[in-house]
Structures are given as structure tokens and as C-alpha cells.
Amino acid sequence: MKADLFQAPDYYQLDDLLTEEHKLIRDAAREWVKRDVSPIIEDYAQRAEFPTQIIKGLAEIGAFGPYIPEEYGGAGLDQISYGLIMQEIERGDSGVRSTASVQSSLVMYPIYKYGSEEQRNKYLPKLASGEMIGCFGLTEPNHGSNPGGMETKFKDMGDHYLLNGAKMWISNAPFADIAVVWAKNEEGRIHGLIVERGMEGFSTPETHNKWSLRASATGELIFDNVKVPKENLLPKKSGLGAPLGCLDSARFGIAWGAIGAAMDCYDTALRYSKERIQFGKPIGAFQLQQKKLAEMITEITKAQLLTWRLGVLRNEGKATSAQISMAKRNNVDMAITIAREARQMLGGMGITGEYSIMRHSMNLESVITYEGTHDIHLLITGMDVTGLNAFK
Ligand code: TGC
Ligand code: FAD
């Protein structure tokens, strides 16, 4: 792969909206991606392997639980810092960002928000340092967009719970130490349970043959009469709103992350357009190529403004789930469109691993599907503005 020469676009001087601390956090993440991710990621993606050696670095840049309070090992940062870290990581690779967002928003967040004090103290510091990796089991083979229909269930056996069922498409599953699993009790109420690797009857087979997110490990979670200790149930919230509340946090991170992938594609295409000569001049001098670049930077700038405002609203505790859906949907769509256009600008070179664009493009096919598909988020916006529910 080519050397990482990334220069971040900031067409509307949005750096002026950031604090000095935001910029320091972002720049540290950016440097780390240049040094530890960019040189190796294409090779790992080609081999369909997650580079476990970067876990320590992810922890060091604060990517595991950025907004979790310091007393539990988190970085105690605000939502914009969290977003900026996700942006920088996804600039390197969406699969690496997946590992960080699952760990932060889907494992640490529910333990922090819905867990007991004992659960917080037992798991959060180890998750923050990367000593422990977690995954989040909501999706099932028969229930993706409608998780409320889940079949995974647990029974109260007096001194423990007995868990049965299966989850599918679970990021980090093949190597995770713990899984936050959503399952129904005998009354059909959804609860979160912390399942630990090594519990009898619990297995995590890896999902192979992916053309997307190849540097992220995806797998199933199988529960065959798993005895879960009673103290592993998350006590403070139940019902579908509990897992969906975690998704708000992860979707927010993805809205920022997608900008990172888009910025990388734009920056690569811009540089290439000035270097590649056809018909005696750089291809960037042709109007058709300029149209692509002009539209890319316009869309990136709009997405940057959207997420910055959303970050402010999140910091003030005022962002709604529907606002987060709009940003996730818009920004991922923006990124996948830019990746496709940027790939074309590189001609044949665009399909090779010499450049990051094709990898981003394929990764974004997962990003536009997970955490709620493109169409599901449109229906959430539709429901919000009309007050009419198209799901039921
Ligand atoms: P509905 O009846 O609308 O809602 C049930 C309860 O949940 C509440 N709620 C929310 N709470 C917090 N945050 C949200 N975003 C919420 N959305 C809804 C709601 O108020 C209600 O509460 P209550 O107290 O009244 O019971 O539920 P529904 O069954 O009609 O479904 C609505 C729908 C379709 C929007 C929802 O199911 C949905 O978002 N589906 C998409 C599924 C999804 O996003 N799955 C993601 C799996 S995890 C993943 O993909 C990780 S990838 C990570 C990576 O690798 O980076
Ligand atoms: P379906 O729900 O079967 O949807 C199929 C199509 O039907 C989609 O286009 C959808 O938009 C459309 N559709 C569905 N309902 C409606 C409707 N009401 N109106 C109109 N159209 C509709 N899940 C986890 O729990 N944890 C993870 O860590 C995780 N990681 C993932 C990693 C990867 C790489 C991938 C690909 C997925 C991951 N997922 C994870 C699962 C992901 O959240 C689901 O794939 C996603 O929610 C969609 O579910 P589905 O694949 O079952 O598609």
C-alpha cells in the first residue's frame, strides 16, 4: 500500500468550532492511525484477519469508553471528542472503528448505564484498557431489523439463569472475552446478560467469506443451555428500549466515522487527480473530474456540520434518537457515494490495494446495513416527522 499522505479537508474552517482539547485528542488519534494502522491494514483486510496487536494502541488513544467516567477507567471526555476519535479511526478502516464502537457504545455503555456497581467495577476498567474485549449480541438469524421479535430466551433456575438461543453477525465475537446478550425472560421481557467466554455451552464460530469489513472479526453467539450467574443480569433497565438506547450511542459514533472514510477517499482522489496525466494534462484539470471533487467536498462539509451540531446537542443531553438516525443515514450514504466516485477517478488503480478507496467502499456496504439499515433510518425519520408508524 502507498504511504499514508492524508491531509484532512476543512473547507469551512470547522476547526474553529473545536476546543484545544478536541484538537489534541483528534490529532493524537490521527497520528496513531498513520503510524500503526495505515501501514498494515490492507494486508490484514486481504487476509481477512483482525490485527489484535492494535488493541493496546486503541486503548491508549482513548478509543475504549471515551465518555465513560475516569473512575471506571474511561477517558471522561465529551461527545465531540468521542466522535472525532471515531472519525480518525474510520479514516484508517471501518472494521477497526467497529471494534472500538462496539467496545465503547455497545459493551461499556450498557454496563455503565444499566449495570450494578459491582458489574461496573468488575468489567469497565479492563474493557477501557483493552485487557478485555467485548461484543454485543442483539441480531438473530430470523430477527435483524426487528430485534423485538428475538427468540433467544432465559429461564430462572433459582440460583442461576439458563440461556438458550443464537445471535448472528456479531462484531468481535470470535475473540471477545465477554458478550452483552439481549434475551427474553419467561414473561417475554427483554433483559441484558453478561456472558463470559468459557461458560459451558457458549460458543462463537467465526463468519467467513465476507467481502466487507474483512479486517473485523464477525461471528455467531451460540447458547446451548448456558448457566449464567444471576449477578450477570444488567439490573437497571429492561425492554427493547435498553438495547436501542445503546444503538443511539453507536450510531452517533458511526455518523462521525463515515466522515473519516469519506475524507480519506476524497483526499486520495484529489492527490491522484493532480498527479495522473492523460491527454497531456492532469486529470484534475478536466471539468468532469472537478465536478466529482467539488461535490465530494461539499457533501463532506455538510456532514461535518451535521455531526458537530449533533455533538453539541448530545453534550447538552438534547439530541433525539431520530436526529441520530438522520446523521447516521446521511453520512454513511454520503461516504459510500464518495467512495464510489473516488474509485472511478483512480481508473484501474482504484480497484487495487495500493490505495485505500476500494477497501473503504466495500467496508461501507456493512456500515450502511448495520446499526439499522439505510431504509430503517429513513422510516425512523418518516415516523418522527409524520407521527405515523410505518413499522406496524
Ligand atoms: P418500538 O416499539 O418503536 O420501540 C420499543 C421501545 O424502545 C424505545 N426506543 C428507543 N429507545 C432508545 N433509543 C432508541 N433509538 C429507541 N428506539 C425506540 C421506544 O420508545 C420503546 O420504548 P417503550 O418504553 O415504549 O417500550 O420498537 P419496534 O419494535 O417498532 O422497532 C423500532 C425500530 C425498527 C426503529 C428498531 O427496532 C430498530 O432500530 N431496528 C434496527 C435494528 C438495529 O439497528 N440493529 C442493530 C444491531 S447492533 C449492530 O448492528 C452493531 S454493528 C456494530 C459495529 O460493528 O460497529
Ligand atoms: P433484514 O432485517 O432481513 O433486512 C433485509 C432488507 O429488508 C433490508 O434492506 C431492510 O432495510 C429491509 N427491511 C426490513 N424491514 C423493513 C421494513 N419494515 N420496511 C422496509 N424495508 C425493510 N448485530 C449485532 O447485534 N451486533 C453486532 O455486533 C453486529 N455486527 C454486524 C457486523 C456486520 C459486518 C454486519 C453485516 C452486521 C452486523 N450486525 C450486528 C447485524 C446488523 O445490525 C443487521 O444486519 C441489520 O440490523 C439488518 O438486519 P438483517 O441483516 O437481518 O436484514
Side-chain angles (χ1 to χ4, degrees), residues 269-284:
L270 178 62
R271 190 171 304 107
Y272 192 84
S273 77
K274 294 179 194 167
E275 291 166 359
R276 176 70 176 166
I277 310 290
Q278 289 294 290
F279 299 96
K281 55 182 187 179
I283 59 167

Side-chain angles (χ1 to χ4, degrees), residues 102 106 136-141 143-146 168-171 210 213 218 366 369-373 375-376 379 390-391:
V102 168
L106 300 182
F136 176 87
L138 182 64
T139 305
E140 299 187 352
H143 303 280
S145 297
N146 65 329
M168 191 179 179
W169 294 117
I170 308 304
S171 302
K210 290 183 300 166
L213 280 203
T218 315
S366 287
T369 295
Y370 67 36
E371 296 282 359
T373 67
D375 287 340
I376 291 295
L379 294 175
F391 296 107

Side-chain angles (χ1 to χ4, degrees), residues 233-303:
L233 182 123
L234 298 175
K236 290 190 187 156
K237 191 165 166 99
S238 64
L240 186 57
L244 293 181
C246 309
L247 298 185
D248 274 359
S249 175
R251 290 166 177 173
F252 171 78
I254 291 172
W256 284 84
I259 296 175
M263 290 198 303
D264 198 47
C265 293
Y266 165 77
D267 179 61
T268 304
L270 178 62
R271 190 171 304 107
Y272 192 84
S273 77
K274 294 179 194 167
E275 291 166 359
R276 176 70 176 166
I277 310 290
Q278 289 294 290
F279 299 96
K281 55 182 187 179
I283 59 167
F286 296 116
Q287 288 182 4
L288 284 176
Q289 305 305 320
Q290 288 188 7
K291 176 176 186 288
K292 289 187 200 298
L293 291 165
E295 285 177 350
M296 284 182 207
I297 191 62
T298 306
E299 291 307 315
I300 288 171
T301 305
K302 282 152 68 178

Side-chain angles (χ1 to χ4, degrees), residues 368-386:
I368 204 164
T369 295
Y370 67 36
E371 296 282 359
T373 67
H374 191 61
D375 287 340
I376 291 295
H377 287 296
L378 175 124
L379 294 175
I380 292 172
T381 307
M383 180 161 64
D384 197 47
V385 297
T386 63

